Amino acid sequence: MSSLFPALTDSPAERPALRFGERSLTYAELAATAGALAGRIRGAGRVAVWATPTLETAVGVVAALLAGVPAVPLNPKSGDSELGHILRDSEPALVLTAPDSELPAALGDLERVEVDVRDTAQSPVSDVADLARITADSPALVVYTSGTTGPPKGAVIPRRAIAATLDALADAWQWTGDDVLVHALPLFHVHGLILGILGPLRRGGSVRHLGRFTAEGVTQELNEGATMLFGVPTMYHRLAEALPDDPALSKALGRARLLVSGSAALPVHDHERIAAATGRRVIERYGMTETLMNTSVRADGEPRAGTVGVPLPGVELRLVEEDGSAITAYDGESVGEIQVRGPNLFTEYLNRPDATAAAFTGDGWFRTGDMAVRDADGYVRIVGRKATDLIKSGGYKIGAGEIENALLEHPAVREAAVTGEPDDDLGERVVAWIVPADPESPPGAGELADHVAGRLAPHKRPRVVHFLDALPRNDMGKIMKRALKHD
Ligand code: MCA
Ligand code: AMP
């Protein structure tokens, strides 16, 4: 297939591509360093990437894509149990890492390949990739995503899906090589990595990563030429909170060409506060690890708070009733599950043919599990989710089941149930309901949070812990989560 990043060879050499803090690479430097690394890893089955928010991660992923080797981005804060699962499941041949990263013991057996961003003595990029072997359907990335039960599943994302979604967003957002993106998203998920790094590189534009999200960082970059901001709703909520006392932030946001939110719903109150203080309306887009991007408010469309806009070019979207029949009404009130079809879709869950089969209808529609209505003009409004056991916290998807399993491995826990509760900052927060093994000496809430953070990842830790004598169960013995309400 044609190159995912034509700008690597076509751009003026000095054009800026990536900037992380003080360190940056031009297109010529990126082409050379990623080309050199691609030559080294060529032919590997799959490569893990220790996905710290650094230049090395971006170069590592670009190199893997140039070499036609699927990359598995790893959350550098993954706990032992989650990391162990991902490594057993994806069987990478080696791990790409920044030279100064200390890797956990779980990665000890893997060959460590350090990304040297100054290694620029390489022949042209086109010498490296074996383009005849790489097709549009070749896997590009394996991104792990939580389900309701069990450990995370690896969504295999083909090269075609990346190209299709980024080109559709370019159309919807009038996104060009002149745009400079600023963000602080993690680089082991679709939002930060595919949209936030690969997106600008496909356009021939540039990205500045803040390393860590702060209002000051956003202000500075927007004042110094950044044109677009990507963030999860928690980030926009924090900006909305900061705006009343920060006129420089209002001015900077007002200067942006496009403020884009995604990964979870941005509350209307935050939309309104940002619009009132800056004169700019945040636009929302809706996607999923398995589908990349499905809908967006268009740059030339009407930004409407509470909606995720219209299907992107090439994406077929329908709303489906419980019995599988499609809803034809565009009435703003008939609720159905969003199902999508198009070149943006993943191929399969790695090693999980059962889960893959269950995710699609017989005729190839992907079941998102998101419930929505459609306005008369086609704007989609997400109104809920089919599974109550999926929690979105800070834009991260977290399965209740994986946290319950981790909690049950703690010796002081007899029974555990996990729910999501509304949270102004995080959207939802993880809440654990625990029956202690010894009611006289229950474990501390902080101890349980640390236990989950160490096994899975810090963002999956319970923020609130309740202790109960017994969990409410129905006649079948199933936990009645709806009865678990805090008063
Ligand atoms: C606190 N911390 C702990 C513990 N308690 N660490 C270990 N054990 C503990 N018990 C640490 C945390 O690691 C963190 O450290 C710090 O305390 C604060 O953490 P926390 O309160 O959890 O969160 P935060 O730092 O305030 O994060 C908010 C955030 C984050 C920045 C908005 O949630 C975030 O980056 N979200 C983005 C999620 C995302 O990209 N989702 C995309 C997937 P330290 O400060 O050192 O880090 S969805 C997707 O891709 C689809 C396709 C889509 O549509 O986009
Ligand atoms: P993930 O599996 O982590 O990729 O998260 C995908 C899920 O995030 C979707 O199925 C939606 O539930 C949710 N999501 C993404 N973008 C939006 C949005 N703009 N509004 C509401 N929910 C969203």
Side-chain angles (χ1 to χ4, degrees), residues 187-211:
L187 300 189
F188 45 87
H189 277 308
V190 165
H191 194 169
L193 181 62
I194 299 186
L195 272 58
I197 299 291
L198 305 184
L201 296 181
R202 184 158 173 89
R203 298 276 71 81
S206 65
V207 52
R208 301 178 191 165
H209 195 282
L210 296 175

Side-chain angles (χ1 to χ4, degrees), residues 72 85-86 89-90 142-146 152-155 188-189 289 350:
V72 187
H85 162 72
I86 293 175
D89 192 51
S90 62
V142 181
V143 178
Y144 279 80
T145 180
S146 293
K153 304 183 289 256
F188 45 87
H189 277 308
T289 304
L350 193 66

Side-chain angles (χ1 to χ4, degrees), residues 143-146 189-191 233 261-266 283-295 306-308 366 368-371 382 384-385 390 392 395-398:
V143 178
Y144 279 80
T145 180
S146 293
H189 277 308
V190 165
H191 194 169
S261 174
S263 301
L266 181 64
I283 64 168
E284 282 194 72
R285 93 297 180 282
Y286 156 65
M288 223 175 147
T289 304
E290 292 89 335
T291 65
L292 307 190
M293 294 304 115
N294 296 311
T295 71
T307 83
V308 294
F366 175 76
T368 65
D370 292 310
M371 306 300 290
I382 296 175
R385 202 181 300 132
L390 285 179
K392 265 270 160 165
Y396 286 113
K397 184 189 269 185
I398 304 172

Side-chain angles (χ1 to χ4, degrees), residues 337-363:
E337 181 190 12
I338 300 176
Q339 297 189 347
V340 290
R341 218 161 50 173
N344 52 314
L345 264 51
F346 77 137
T347 321
E348 58 169 345
Y349 294 115
L350 193 66
N351 304 321
R352 293 293 306 276
D354 55 327
T356 307
F360 288 93
T361 67
D363 45 0

Side-chain angles (χ1 to χ4, degrees), residues 19 29 60 70 77 108 115 128-129 166 182-183 209 218 234 251 271 275 300 333 352 371 394 402 444 462 473 482:
R19 196 171 91 193
E29 290 166 336
K77 290 190 185 158
V115 180
V128 175
L166 294 177
V182 53
H183 73 88
H209 195 282
V218 169
T234 300
K251 252 185 148 166
H271 268 287
D300 57 3
E333 55 186 55
R352 293 293 306 276
M371 306 300 290
E402 58 181 325
R473 292 183 186 271
R482 285 184 207 285

